[in-house]
């Protein structure tokens, strides 16, 4: 018995150092947790002192806070027991649901900004901006995608957002770049920005911007060695004449950015008509963004992506976040162009393709009368006569329309192909010039345009019909691009749409519209 007690005593004596060691470690851990909890309380205080007039985006003020809070708590979740939720609410919110925390903290900012800039939003354009337009302007993430349906005021948003950034002091005039896809869009943006803001903002087409990079590479890198023979040849190419290889120029301009032969001064990038972006242009934008850690806002509508033949890739706008990272997406929800009947019919038509991004475009205009009219034909040889008969019907309406005293009504004749232009177009324009402004365009050419009345001709099936049977995309929804093209045609009209369709070889698009909408037959 004595021997057992002695052994037990010796065993207990051996555990004393272990117990003391454990207690010491617990004491040290306790002290560490006290210190870290105090540090987290310090972060809580810093968060409370953040400026309330700044939108908190990923790369801004809170980034380090989130990283530190997440790392500390993940390493030792017991630290939460050392904190009082009432004293450190943001610490708990960030750890438990940082997205919810960001939405909440920015919600307060939105409320203040909407009040502070109410006068600006009401008067920057001829009509007050809609609530979603205002949200698109205030939202200030690193990457911003504004989905703007037909007639929803995308140019107004670009204009007002540029002005807002300048008012907030986020950037100087020469730190903002706006890129447009063609000269006409560039000129419209330039004119409206100058008239409304009276600021000198750099607005260029992709082509012009690529050329400017070629020319400016030498002067914008004073501390670099002279340009390589590659860059010198780029400058030479830029001075050459309708013969320059555009794709090659974009590629070389991108390389100049990526190799820092060109140093970008732009901290804010705006891209118009982003649904038409190509892989090469997208790489150029990404290079600009990466070089200067630039904030980017793109505006577009995947429903109106109609330039696949020219290299556009609809996947880039539809999966924008995969290319650019964390993104705020704003969907403009009102059209200022057409009535609710045209709005519902056009969006029901485009959303038959489940790959298109879902939006709900509304209109404050209610249709008093019929919006869709259908004229049947059996031979396209008489197309000019059919078009004239429809124009006479429109003229008869305008003769009784009080509004004709103030301006001429416009008629846009649209067709899938340019060779369908009416042979009697000049005659029609001259005959009805007093009351009507008549024009013709392919549907591709009509993108961005509008008219009071739209006449869509040659709606038949076949190789050169609409949808064109040449355009069966193997990897997409059947006639996906042709469907988007027809959506563009439908959404050019402010008041009424007239379809001229073959009675026996009818376009599948017309058959589909007839099943779901009230279309009045004229013959």
């Amino acid at each position: 018995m004595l021997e057992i007690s002695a052994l037990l005593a010796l065993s207990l004596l051996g555990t004393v150092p272990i117990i003391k060691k454990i207690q010491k470690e617990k004491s040290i851990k306790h002290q560490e947790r006290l210190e870290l909890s105090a540090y987290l309380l310090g972060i809580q205080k810093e968060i409370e002192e953040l400026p309330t007039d700044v939108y908190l985006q990923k790369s801004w003020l809170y980034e380090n806070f989130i990283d530190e809070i997440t790392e500390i708590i993940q390493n030792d979740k017991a630290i939460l027991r050392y904190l009082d939720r009432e004293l450190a609410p943001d610490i708990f919110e960030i750890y438990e649901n940082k997205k919810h925390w960001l939405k909440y903290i920015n919600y307060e900012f939105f409320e203040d900004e909407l009040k502070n800039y109410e006068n600006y939003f009401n008067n920057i354009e001829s009509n007050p901006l809609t609530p979603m337009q205002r949200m698109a302007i205030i939202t200030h993430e690193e990457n911003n995608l504004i989905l703007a349906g037909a007639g929803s005021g995308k140019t107004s948003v670009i204009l007002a957002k540029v002005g807002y950034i300048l008012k907030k002091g986020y950037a100087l005039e020469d730190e903002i770049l706006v890129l447009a896809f063609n000269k006409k869009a560039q000129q419209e943006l330039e004119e409206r920005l100058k008239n409304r803001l009276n600021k000198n903002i750099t607005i260029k087409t992709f082509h012009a911007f690529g050329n400017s990079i070629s020319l400016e590479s030498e002067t914008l890198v004073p501390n670099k060695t002279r340009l390589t023979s590659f860059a010198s040849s780029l400058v030479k190419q830029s001075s050459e004449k309708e013969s320059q290889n555009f794709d090659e120029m974009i590629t070389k301009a991108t390389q100049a950015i990526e190799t820092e032969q060109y140093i970008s001064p732009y901290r804010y990038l705006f891209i118009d008509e982003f649904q038409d972006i190509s892989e090469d242009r997208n790489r150029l934008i990404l290079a600009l963004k990466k070089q200067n850690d630039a904030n980017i806002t793109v505006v577009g509508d995947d429903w109106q992506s109609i330039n696949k033949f020219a290299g556009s890739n609809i996947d880039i706008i539809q999966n924008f976040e995969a290319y650019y990272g964390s993104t705020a997406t704003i969907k403009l929800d009102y059209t200022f162009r057409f009535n609710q009947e045209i709005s519902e019919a056009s969006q029901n038509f485009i959303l038959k393709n489940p790959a298109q991004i879902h939006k709900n475009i509304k209109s404050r205009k209610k249709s008093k009368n019929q919006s869709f009219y259908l004229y049947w034909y059996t031979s396209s040889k008489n197309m000019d006569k059919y078009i004239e008969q429809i124009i006479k019907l429109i003229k008869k309406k305008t003769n009784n329309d009080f509004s004709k005293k103030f301006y001429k009504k416009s008629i846009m004749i649209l067709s899938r192909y340019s060779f369908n232009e009416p042979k009697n177009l000049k005659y029609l324009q001259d005959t009805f010039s007093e009351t009507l402004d008549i024009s013709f365009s392919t549907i591709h050419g009509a993108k961005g345009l509008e008219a009071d009345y739209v006449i869509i001709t040659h709606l038949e099936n076949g190789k050169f019909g609409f949808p064109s049977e040449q355009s069966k995309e193997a990897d997409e929804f059947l006639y996906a691009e042709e469907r988007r093209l027809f959506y563009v045609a439908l959404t050019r009209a402010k008041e009424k749409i007239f379809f001229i369709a073959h009675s026996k070889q009818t376009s599948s698009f017309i058959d589909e519209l007839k099943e779901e909408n009230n279309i009045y037959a004229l013959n």
Side-chain angles (χ1 to χ4, degrees):
M1 189 69 177
L2 287 172
E3 288 179 4
I4 294 173
S5 299
L7 288 172
L8 181 60
L10 288 171
S11 175
L12 290 173
L13 285 172
T15 60
V16 169
I18 297 173
I19 293 171
K20 286 184 176 180
K21 183 180 178 182
I22 292 172
Q23 289 175 337
K24 185 177 180 181
E25 288 176 352
K26 283 185 176 180
S27 178
I28 292 171
K29 196 66 177 177
H30 174 70
Q31 187 60 34
E32 286 179 354
R33 286 170 177 163
L34 285 174
E35 291 173 1
L36 286 173
S37 64
Y39 181 72
L40 289 173
L41 286 172
I43 292 179
Q44 172 68 43
K45 186 176 180 182
E46 289 185 61
I47 291 172
E48 291 170 355
E49 292 174 354
L50 287 175
T52 57
D53 64 340
V54 175
Y55 183 94
L56 297 183
Q57 60 164 336
K58 184 178 182 298
S59 67
W60 277 25
L61 305 173
Y62 71 82
E63 187 177 40
N64 290 336
F65 295 153
I66 286 183
D67 290 344
E68 284 191 292
I69 292 166
T70 304
E71 183 179 357
I72 289 169
I73 298 177
Q74 282 183 345
N75 285 339
D76 186 4
K77 293 184 176 61
I79 289 173
L80 291 174
R81 296 201 299 267
Y82 287 69
L83 293 169
D84 186 329
R85 185 179 285 268
E86 290 186 5
L87 295 177
D90 294 295
I91 303 299
F92 282 87
E93 280 285 341
I94 289 170
Y95 175 69
E96 293 169 354
N97 192 338
K98 73 175 182 181
K99 287 187 177 180
H100 179 269
W101 177 78
L102 289 174
K103 284 183 179 179
Y104 173 76
I105 202 166
N106 281 326
Y107 175 78
E108 293 182 326
F109 167 78
F110 283 133
E111 292 295 298
D112 289 342
E113 290 296 276
L114 289 172
K115 292 175 184 175
N116 295 338
Y117 286 87
E118 183 176 11
N119 187 59
Y120 174 72
F121 295 143
N122 284 340
N123 296 289
I124 186 64
E125 288 283 54
S126 54
N127 293 312
L129 300 180
T130 68
M132 288 309 295
Q133 285 179 315
R134 298 178 192 214
M135 288 294 288
I137 291 161
I138 294 172
T139 300
H140 199 65
E141 292 292 338
E142 280 186 355
N143 307 300
N144 304 277
L145 170 61
I146 300 173
L147 293 170
S152 62
K154 68 179 180 64
T155 305
S156 295
V157 170
I158 294 174
L159 160 71
K161 195 171 180 77
V162 168
Y164 174 78
I165 285 169
L166 293 171
K167 283 179 173 291
K168 293 290 291 183
Y170 292 156
L172 302 175
E173 291 178 44
D174 57 4
E175 294 176 321
I176 298 175
L177 171 66
V178 181
L179 289 176
F181 271 78
N182 56 57
K183 190 66 177 175
K184 183 179 178 182
Q186 180 263 333
Q187 288 173 339
E188 181 189 358
L189 281 164
E190 194 168 61
E191 181 180 346
R192 288 179 65 177
L193 278 163
K194 191 164 186 64
N195 289 342
R196 292 291 182 179
L197 299 178
N198 194 26
K199 302 291 184 181
N200 293 316
I201 305 298
T202 303
I203 306 170
K204 292 181 180 290
T205 63
F206 274 90
H207 193 177
F209 183 66
N211 277 330
S212 72
I213 288 179
S214 304
L215 294 170
E216 294 170 21
S217 293
E218 282 189 329
T219 58
L220 289 178
V221 195
N223 296 325
K224 300 274 181 183
T225 57
R226 299 295 287 176
L227 294 178
T228 61
S229 59
F230 150 72
S232 297
S233 68
L234 191 60
V235 173
K236 183 180 178 182
Q237 281 185 357
S238 69
S239 64
E240 295 175 353
K241 293 181 179 179
E242 301 305 357
S243 62
Q244 185 182 36
N245 186 311
F246 180 70
D247 291 337
E248 184 180 355
M249 183 272 292
I250 288 288
T251 298
K252 290 183 175 180
T254 303
Q255 290 172 348
I257 300 167
E258 291 174 338
T259 57
E260 295 191 350
Q261 291 169 0
Y262 171 84
I263 300 298
S264 170
Y266 303 113
R267 296 176 51 241
Y268 281 81
L269 307 175
F270 287 81
I271 318 297
D272 190 22
E273 301 287 4
F274 193 75
Q275 74 278 351
D276 292 326
I277 200 76
S278 65
E279 293 285 356
D280 288 341
R281 287 173 172 176
N282 195 52
R283 184 182 162 200
L284 174 70
I285 298 165
L286 285 167
L288 280 174
K289 176 177 171 55
K290 181 179 179 181
Q291 190 192 81
N292 214 9
D293 195 23
N295 180 286
I296 185 168
T297 296
V298 305
V299 184
D301 181 14
D302 72 307
W303 295 2
Q304 298 182 76
S305 178
I306 58 173
N307 291 315
K308 185 176 182 180
F309 69 95
S312 68
N313 182 358
I314 194 173
D315 181 70
I316 299 173
I317 188 170
Q318 289 184 331
N319 295 287
F320 181 79
E321 196 164 63
Y323 288 86
Y324 285 84
S326 183
T327 298
T329 301
I330 303 293
K331 299 178 182 180
L332 302 186
D333 57 350
Y334 272 96
T335 180
F336 300 94
R337 180 178 298 155
F338 38 81
N339 60 46
Q340 187 63 22
E341 187 176 6
I342 294 176
S343 179
E344 289 177 2
S346 60
Q347 67 184 306
N348 287 340
F349 177 82
I350 194 66
L351 287 174
K352 290 290 191 304
N353 180 354
Q356 302 289 169
I357 299 172
H358 191 276
K359 300 189 294 290
N360 183 20
I361 308 297
K362 301 179 285 292
S363 173
R364 292 191 174 98
K365 296 180 183 178
K366 304 299 179 186
S367 178
K368 296 178 182 178
N369 301 303
Q370 187 75 26
S371 294
F372 302 109
Y373 297 83
L374 177 60
Y375 198 104
W376 294 111
Y377 71 92
T378 56
S379 172
S380 59
K381 292 179 181 178
N382 296 320
M383 187 64 64
D384 291 358
K385 183 179 74 174
Y386 305 142
I387 292 171
E388 184 176 353
Q389 287 176 359
I390 290 172
I391 290 175
K392 285 179 178 178
L393 285 174
I394 295 172
K395 183 180 183 298
K396 185 177 180 181
K397 179 191 182 306
T398 59
N399 285 340
N400 300 319
D401 193 340
F402 181 73
S403 64
K404 73 180 180 65
K405 297 178 182 178
F406 299 96
Y407 72 99
K408 285 199 270 188
K409 291 285 187 176
S410 56
I411 299 176
M412 190 186 299
I413 304 166
L414 296 178
S415 186
R416 175 66 177 81
Y417 299 100
S418 59
F419 55 72
N420 287 331
E421 178 177 328
K423 294 179 178 62
N424 63 342
L425 180 62
K426 183 69 166 59
Y427 164 78
L428 294 172
Q429 290 171 330
D430 292 341
T431 303
F432 299 98
S433 61
E434 285 189 16
T435 55
L436 299 170
D437 181 7
I438 302 171
S439 63
F440 169 82
S441 176
T442 63
I443 301 170
H444 280 99
K447 176 74 174 64
L449 304 179
E450 63 181 21
D452 295 303
Y453 303 100
V454 165
I455 301 172
I456 307 176
T457 73
H458 296 84
L459 289 166
E460 57 188 57
N461 60 26
K463 184 176 180 180
F464 294 104
F466 195 15
S468 169
E469 292 187 359
Q470 300 181 97
S471 301
K472 290 182 179 179
E473 304 94 340
D475 57 342
E476 285 193 82
F477 187 78
L478 182 63
Y479 297 127
E481 183 119 343
E482 292 289 293
R483 183 172 289 269
R484 293 191 288 270
L485 194 60
F486 195 63
Y487 171 82
V488 169
L490 293 174
T491 54
R492 299 310 94 194
K494 293 195 281 187
E495 295 186 25
K496 300 182 186 302
I497 304 173
F498 295 83
F499 305 103
I500 304 181
H502 200 291
S503 60
K504 294 183 179 178
Q505 300 170 0
T506 311
S507 160
S508 60
F509 288 168
I510 285 296
D511 285 338
E512 188 176 315
L513 281 179
K514 279 178 58 193
E515 286 181 10
E516 301 178 3
N517 301 280
N518 182 21
I519 300 180
Y520 182 80
L522 293 172
N523 54 357

